[in-house]
Amino acid sequence: MSLIEVKDLCKSFGSLHVLRNLSLNVEEGERIAIIGGSGCGKSVFLRSLELLEVPDSGKIFIDGQEITARRADINRIRLKMGMVYQKFYLFSHMNVIDNLCLAPVKLLGMPRAQAESNAMDWLSKVGLTSKAHAMPEKLSGGQQQRIAICRSLMMKPKVLLFDEPTSALDPTMVGEVLAMIRMLAKHDMTMIIVTHEMNFAREVANRVLFFADGGIYEEGTPEEIFDSPQKEKTIAFIRKLKYFSYEITSRYFDLMEMQGGIHGFTEKYGISSRLAYRLELCCEELVYEMLSGCYGSGEAVNIAAEISYSEADSSTTITMTSGGRKFNPFGIAEETDDDVHLGVMILRKIAGENIRYDFSDGLNRIEIKI
């Protein structure tokens, strides 16, 4: 039995048909990313699962129970799902621990002491134990969204629904929320994520749904959707994201070849010469930082550089992954010039705070948005 089963779901707003006979099965442990253009019904579909939007027709089953049935105990079935919105919706008059404990105490009858213990466990996992008694207004947007996710997890849902969880955040705060979702993915949490972060969808999801024409226009693995989409509208949407990649397997790699590839990529897609120079400089400095920090003399080298460019909003992201030892070049102390590598200073001057580092599965990963 599927954890979620949707049959012939339809939803209209007046003469606008948003969802037409949409059907979908979601299995336990699946991580589904939903992508598509504005107004294609992504958020409407997600809200329909909890009946926050009431479908015109069709059936929805959550863990075997039909939430769309006439006499369904809707609130009880909703407890099986946790919803995380674009905005955080924390109770502004309550501190963090009270925000986390309210629902499990009131709705699940959980003793307050147990709820507080569970809350502190989640805060510890996301690095926010020091904020347990802080008021929401004292938290950054990224911290508030992490607390909102913890609040959903306090109810022990079987599935988490994310409605563009990073769209209301400053770019410098997006990484911390995506890192938390990646952590949940590693623990096999069932998730449906509406997102515009294509790189994130590629990394986290094991199934991607592209919405168009009132439903699921095309679906497949991240590789199938992002690397070889089959249908016309999917191809047009995905190709708004342009990629350049380069692999380095030797300390004595051909720097001029990499820089020439970047230059050709930027010319092909009309990227300005100023941005092209920044991309070349950032990639060069990043590669040499990782070569010096991750590998010893004679060790095998495995570095991958990728540049993604979105025609939709002209944003550019450099992603550098490297094996070898764990090494964060941006973790170097910056109190004096002697403590800072020149490459790090250059990268920080270009990217400011739009730099994210993590280490997982034996790989260093640096993401820079320009």
Side-chain angles (χ1 to χ4, degrees):
M1 180 179 65
S2 300
L3 183 56
I4 296 177
E5 186 175 1
V6 180
K7 296 181 178 181
D8 300 321
L9 187 68
C10 295
K11 178 63 181 178
S12 299
F13 296 95
S15 61
L16 177 62
H17 298 282
V18 179
L19 300 175
R20 301 172 185 260
N21 298 313
L22 188 153
S23 296
L24 174 69
N25 284 9
V26 179
E27 307 303 326
E28 188 170 355
E30 273 200 293
R31 302 180 301 278
I32 294 177
I34 301 178
I35 63 173
S38 299
C40 67
K42 305 185 299 293
S43 295
V44 172
F45 170 71
L46 212 62
R47 291 172 59 83
S48 295
L49 295 179
E50 288 200 319
L51 295 194
L52 299 176
E53 296 287 355
V54 180
D56 300 328
S57 61
K59 295 181 179 181
I60 300 172
F61 296 85
I62 308 297
D63 197 26
Q65 295 180 287
E66 186 187 350
I67 194 170
T68 47
R70 180 171 296 180
R71 294 182 175 83
D73 188 341
I74 294 172
N75 289 330
R76 186 173 184 82
I77 298 174
R78 280 176 177 161
L79 293 177
K80 298 175 183 288
M81 297 176 282
M83 186 79 160
V84 180
Y85 302 90
Q86 297 177 21
K87 297 184 179 180
F88 326 119
Y89 296 121
L90 298 179
F91 294 112
S92 60
H93 64 291
M94 294 182 178
N95 64 20
V96 166
I97 198 77
D98 288 339
N99 264 280
L100 295 181
C101 292
L102 179 64
V105 170
K106 293 290 187 181
L107 300 179
L108 300 182
M110 185 181 296
R112 172 73 187 203
Q114 181 183 342
E116 288 192 8
S117 177
N118 292 350
M120 293 306 295
D121 284 344
W122 277 115
L123 291 175
S124 176
K125 289 176 182 177
V126 300
L128 291 174
T129 52
S130 64
K131 304 297 183 180
H133 298 288
M135 300 301 288
E137 64 185 20
K138 300 297 183 181
L139 304 177
S140 69
Q143 290 170 337
Q144 289 189 60
Q145 189 63 295
R146 280 186 282 164
I147 296 299
I149 297 172
C150 286
R151 181 175 59 181
S152 290
L153 291 164
M154 286 286 293
M155 300 297 289
K156 300 181 179 179
K158 291 200 169 188
V159 58
L160 277 181
L161 311 176
F162 292 91
D163 187 8
E164 298 201 12
T166 61
S167 64
L169 297 177
D170 184 278
T172 61
M173 300 174 187
V174 169
E176 61 193 75
V177 174
L178 299 185
M180 183 176 179
I181 298 174
R182 279 196 297 271
M183 177 193 76
L184 296 173
K186 290 179 181 179
H187 289 83
D188 295 324
M189 183 75 199
T190 307
M191 295 185 283
I192 304 177
I193 308 165
V194 170
T195 183
H196 60 276
E197 298 276 353
M198 298 298 108
N199 286 338
F200 173 68
R202 176 192 286 265
E203 179 184 353
V204 169
N206 48 30
R207 183 154 52 127
V208 178
L209 311 180
F210 175 67
F211 270 37
D213 295 346
I216 302 170
Y217 182 81
E218 187 171 354
E219 65 177 295
T221 65
E223 292 76 17
E224 289 169 339
I225 295 299
F226 292 112
D227 297 334
S228 55
Q230 300 299 305
K231 295 187 176 182
E232 180 181 357
K233 290 185 179 181
T234 316
I235 293 170
F237 180 82
I238 295 301
R239 285 183 178 172
K240 289 182 180 179
L241 289 175
K242 309 300 183 181
Y243 292 95
F244 168 83
S245 61
Y246 190 85
E247 291 187 3
I248 297 167
T249 56
S250 169
R251 186 176 292 276
Y252 306 104
F253 75 103
D254 190 340
L255 174 63
M256 294 300 103
E257 182 183 64
M258 182 182 77
Q259 300 296 54
I262 295 172
H263 184 77
F265 171 78
T266 58
E267 280 196 332
K268 181 177 180 180
Y269 297 114
I271 297 173
S272 70
S273 58
R274 181 172 181 267
L275 179 54
Y277 172 75
R278 288 180 160 195
L279 293 172
E280 292 176 26
L281 185 58
C282 283
C283 285
E284 178 179 346
E285 296 300 338
L286 272 177
V287 168
Y288 283 118
E289 285 293 329
M290 303 317 285
L291 283 173
S292 64
C294 297
Y295 304 98
S297 177
E299 289 185 341
V301 172
N302 177 25
I303 298 176
E306 178 182 273
I307 298 173
S308 62
Y309 170 69
S310 171
E311 291 182 340
D313 60 6
S314 298
S315 63
T316 310
T317 302
I318 298 172
T319 304
M320 189 81 65
T321 57
S322 174
R325 291 182 292 277
K326 180 179 180 180
F327 175 68
N328 177 10
F330 304 100
I332 299 171
E334 296 188 30
E335 283 74 21
T336 68
D337 289 343
D338 292 336
D339 293 326
V340 185
H341 291 188
L342 178 60
V344 172
M345 294 177 64
I346 292 171
L347 290 164
R348 286 210 178 278
K349 184 174 182 180
I350 292 174
E353 296 301 316
N354 297 321
I355 299 172
R356 181 166 62 88
Y357 168 85
D358 62 47
F359 180 83
S360 61
D361 299 327
L363 287 177
N364 297 279
R365 186 175 189 275
I366 295 172
E367 184 177 280
I368 295 179
K369 293 189 177 182
I370 300 176

